[in-house]
Amino acid sequence: QVQLAESGGGSVQAGGSLRLSCVASGYTIRRASMGWFRQAPGKEREGVAAIERDGRTTYADSVKGRFTISKDDAKNTLSLQMNSLKPEDTAMYYCAADPWRVSGVDRSYRYRGQGTQVTVSS
């Protein structure tokens, strides 16, 4: 059974940083395509960042230069380093794996976690 468990969310002031982590069990991330997406109340789901099997990364324009996605194969963990956070980054953030539909950073995934809340105050 595939499980993705996110952690690292919280409340920060604008300009601050957070690092989200996603530990995978029942799934080996070493050769997996994975990503992060977010959803704020009343808004559509938004792809944030994705990383391919070969390590190539893709970012939403809204986070480019501020967020960094990475994988630690030894720890079977996906991470999202978020710097220079803005109030508009406030959302529930989800880790996801194995995309079946790809349109740039906007993807549909077979597996996703339960999410971790990120709140940025001005």
Side-chain angles (χ1 to χ4, degrees), residues 94-116:
Y94 298 88
C95 164
D98 197 8
W100 58 270
R101 181 191 65 82
V102 175
S103 178
V105 72
D106 182 28
R107 303 175 180 203
S108 296
Y109 294 90
R110 288 187 172 83
Y111 308 109
R112 52 168 275 187
Q114 294 298 309
T116 185

Side-chain angles (χ1 to χ4, degrees), residues 23-87:
V23 179
S25 58
Y27 189 83
T28 301
I29 74 168
R30 181 177 180 183
R31 296 191 182 277
S33 294
M34 302 186 71
W36 293 90
F37 65 91
R38 65 189 181 187
Q39 188 159 23
K43 294 187 178 180
E44 292 189 358
R45 187 181 73 181
E46 176 187 19
V48 174
I51 185 165
E52 310 301 341
R53 293 180 175 86
D54 62 4
R56 287 179 295 117
T57 57
T58 306
Y59 296 94
D61 288 343
S62 58
V63 307
K64 204 170 292 183
R66 301 188 297 121
F67 291 11
T68 303
I69 188 172
S70 62
K71 286 195 296 180
D72 185 331
D73 293 339
K75 295 182 179 180
N76 218 36
T77 298
L78 179 73
S79 296
L80 184 69
Q81 177 66 43
M82 307 187 296
N83 299 327
S84 303
L85 283 161
K86 304 176 180 181

Side-chain angles (χ1 to χ4, degrees), residues 6-12 18 20 39-41 82 89-94 114-120:
E6 304 97 335
S7 63
S11 297
V12 296
L18 285 173
L20 306 184
Q39 188 159 23
M82 307 187 296
D89 294 319
T90 295
M92 185 72 80
Y93 283 71
Y94 298 88
Q114 294 298 309
T116 185
Q117 178 68 38
V118 171
T119 303
V120 185

